[in-house]
């Protein structure tokens, strides 16, 4: 059973399981943590999984990239206990932003799955790679729903996009919330960054997992591969390795965290 804990009047975390905490930092932006939950919850038999939603998913929540980084810092420092961290996609950008800015975050091991590119130019390039996969008629449908400011429209957009993130387009990844306005706003604020040098200073044990069909190139995270304790590249796998290769992925995560 999940337990909810409020960090302050705005932010909360949800915990499930027992053991050393594993904080889960999802991607997006604009996605709630539900897309990760069912694939990761088996880890809760030996780990306390800590989930949170990036602030700004709902209309009444005014957010920004700075607010997301401040929120993540507040969550990671709410308890001073040493914790492991799991990041997916854009979640890696948030984590690296926090670790580069603050020195009071008590993190042990880091699991990085299908991370965002380390440099802004590669971030732009990877988005273009994804867009090239999407047929014109599908893009027209996406633009139609973008004009509708509703939660249902957001879910329709993500359902149209999802097959082009995956190697197996029939694989099911559930999204209960997708706020495309939030996604567009945050992406418009990411105008310049370069984590390549910073990543080479990380002292944490890092497990890096990628799929060969991910629209984010292997070369876009090269410096992260250099410092990783272990790098796993799955064949026939796209942007959601934890879903597309769930059994193997969870086994690798368990082995990494328990050694």
């Amino acid at each position: 059973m999940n337990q909810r804990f409020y960090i302050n009047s705005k932010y909360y975390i949800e915990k499930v399981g027992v053991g050393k905490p594993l904080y889960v930092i999802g991607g997006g932006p604009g996605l709630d943590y539900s897309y990760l939950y069912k694939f990761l919850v088996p880890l809760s038999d030996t780990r306390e999984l800590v989930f949170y939603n990036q602030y700004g998913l709902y209309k009444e929540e005014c957010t920004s990239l700075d607010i997301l980084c401040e929120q993540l810092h507040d969550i990671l420092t709410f308890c001073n206990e040493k914790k492991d961290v799991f990041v997916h996609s854009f979640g890696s950008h948030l984590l690296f932003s926090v670790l580069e800015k603050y020195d009071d975050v008590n993190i042990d091991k880091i699991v990085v799955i299908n991370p965002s590119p380390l440099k802004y130019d590669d971030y732009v390039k990877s988005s273009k790679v994804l867009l090239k996969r999407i047929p014109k008629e599908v893009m027209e449908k996406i633009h139609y729903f973008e004009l509708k400011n509703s939660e249902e429209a957001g879910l329709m957009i993500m359902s149209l996009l999802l097959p082009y993130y995956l190697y197996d387009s029939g694989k099911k990844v559930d999204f209960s919330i997708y706020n495309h306005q939030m996604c567009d706003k945050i992406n418009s604020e990411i105008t310049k960054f370069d984590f390549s040098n910073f990543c080479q200073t990380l002292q944490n044990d890092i497990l890096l997992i990628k799929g060969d069909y991910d629209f984010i190139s292997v070369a876009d995270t090269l410096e992260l591969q250099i410092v990783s304790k272990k790098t796993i590249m799955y064949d026939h796998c796209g942007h959601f390795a934890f879903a597309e290769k769930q059994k193997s992925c969870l086994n690798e995560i368990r082995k990494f965290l328990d050694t």
Side-chain angles (χ1 to χ4, degrees):
M1 182 176 177
N2 290 18
Q3 294 180 291
R4 180 173 291 190
F5 299 87
Y6 279 85
I7 307 300
N8 54 38
S9 60
K10 293 182 179 180
Y11 312 148
Y12 65 86
I13 55 178
E14 293 199 352
K15 298 183 178 183
V16 59
V18 294
K20 184 179 178 181
L22 176 63
Y23 282 63
V24 179
I25 306 173
L31 291 173
D32 74 338
Y33 73 73
S34 67
Y35 83 99
L36 292 157
Y37 185 86
K38 77 172 185 179
F39 298 106
L40 299 185
V41 76
L43 296 172
S44 65
D45 56 354
T46 58
R47 287 277 164 167
E48 180 184 70
L49 301 182
V50 182
F51 295 93
Y52 82 104
N53 284 326
Q54 294 168 12
Y55 193 75
L57 294 180
Y58 304 99
K59 292 179 181 178
E60 66 273 16
E61 296 177 346
C62 182
T63 195
S64 68
L65 185 59
D66 286 341
I67 288 174
L68 292 184
C69 291
E70 178 185 334
Q71 177 199 28
L72 181 57
H73 174 256
D74 289 348
I75 286 170
L76 291 176
T77 56
F78 181 64
C79 294
N80 196 39
E81 61 193 349
K82 181 162 280 192
K83 56 191 68 70
D84 298 323
V85 172
F86 170 106
V87 297
H88 173 241
S89 191
F90 172 73
S92 65
H93 182 107
L94 292 180
L95 179 65
F96 296 149
S97 294
V98 169
L99 294 181
E100 189 175 44
K101 184 176 181 180
Y102 301 97
D103 60 4
D104 59 345
V105 183
N106 193 6
I107 290 178
D108 191 4
K109 297 182 178 181
I110 304 175
V111 177
V112 185
I113 296 191
N114 300 103
S116 289
L118 298 178
K119 301 176 183 178
Y120 175 72
D121 289 346
D122 292 330
Y123 189 88
V124 173
K125 181 180 66 178
S126 66
S127 297
K128 292 179 179 178
V129 171
L130 178 61
L131 288 173
K132 285 181 180 178
R133 294 180 179 177
I134 303 173
K136 181 180 178 181
E137 60 271 21
V138 175
M139 283 303 306
E140 289 174 351
K141 292 180 181 178
I142 290 171
H143 291 323
Y144 169 79
F145 285 110
E146 284 178 336
L147 297 175
K148 297 180 176 293
N149 186 17
S150 69
E151 182 177 321
E152 292 77 13
L155 296 179
M156 285 301 302
I157 290 171
M158 185 49 68
S159 68
L160 290 167
L161 285 172
L162 181 59
Y164 306 99
Y165 284 88
L166 301 165
Y167 179 82
D168 178 2
S169 61
K171 190 72 178 181
K172 180 66 173 175
V173 180
D174 296 322
F175 298 97
S176 64
I177 294 176
Y178 172 59
N179 186 328
H180 67 88
Q181 289 94 351
M182 172 185 171
C183 182
D184 290 345
K185 182 179 189 301
I186 299 302
N187 280 329
S188 71
E189 295 177 357
I190 303 176
T191 55
K192 194 67 180 175
F193 66 89
D194 186 340
F195 295 122
S196 56
N197 289 330
F198 169 73
C199 282
Q200 295 183 71
T201 70
L202 292 172
Q203 300 298 309
N204 311 77
D205 284 347
I206 298 171
L207 170 64
L208 174 62
I209 298 177
K210 281 190 60 65
D212 66 340
Y213 186 69
D214 194 356
F215 65 96
I216 298 171
S217 166
V218 174
D220 295 345
T221 58
L222 182 60
E223 292 84 359
L224 192 56
Q225 294 173 56
I226 292 171
V227 298
S228 295
K229 187 172 184 179
K230 186 175 183 179
T231 297
I232 297 170
M233 178 66 68
Y234 286 119
D235 295 331
H236 311 307
C237 180
H239 191 61
F240 299 90
F242 59 86
E244 297 172 77
K245 304 292 183 180
Q246 183 191 16
K247 184 176 180 180
S248 174
C249 197
L250 293 189
N251 285 339
E252 292 291 349
I253 291 172
R254 285 190 178 98
K255 285 191 295 184
F256 171 72
L257 293 178
D258 293 342
T259 56

